[in-house]
Amino acid sequence: MSDTERIVARERLVETLKRMAGGELSFIEGSRIASRLTDTAGFDRLSEPFVVFVAIDSETDAVPWGRCATCGIRMPSRSMPRIGAGQKHGRSKLANLLAEQLLS
């Protein structure tokens, strides 16, 4: 992997995390993107905080996202309040992560 690829992956990772923190990108979709960018960006997938994205990606692989989310598959409505509360808490944590580790 070249230095250019690593720099581009880090820029995409930071942009993904910013979009997640700002509520523009769901935590499931953002975690899947972040999980895939981590290695290319030169980070250890199993170290903090990246292991969280790997875990979310792994545990939600049956949840549709992106274009697949519009193909008529619906999540049970009883799951939505928990997912919404989790994303709100996660955005706060993610904003702190960005400020402390990735943007300093």
Side-chain angles (χ1 to χ4, degrees), residues 7 16 72 82:
I7 291 167
T16 298
R82 288 187 315 215

Side-chain angles (χ1 to χ4, degrees), residues 35-99:
S35 176
R36 285 160 179 78
L37 289 171
T38 302
D39 286 332
T40 307
F43 298 110
D44 178 6
R45 291 172 47 109
L46 299 180
S47 67
E48 289 290 337
F50 305 105
V51 69
V52 174
F53 303 125
V54 173
I56 291 170
D57 183 20
S58 173
E59 294 301 315
T60 61
D61 58 357
V63 176
W65 65 289
R67 283 183 278 148
C68 183
T70 62
C71 62
I73 300 171
R74 295 180 186 256
M75 290 181 57
S77 59
R78 66 183 179 277
S79 300
M80 295 311 290
R82 288 187 315 215
I83 290 172
Q87 289 197 79
K88 183 177 178 182
H89 175 73
R91 281 193 186 94
S92 172
K93 294 281 190 186
L94 188 56
N96 290 337
L97 167 72
L98 283 169

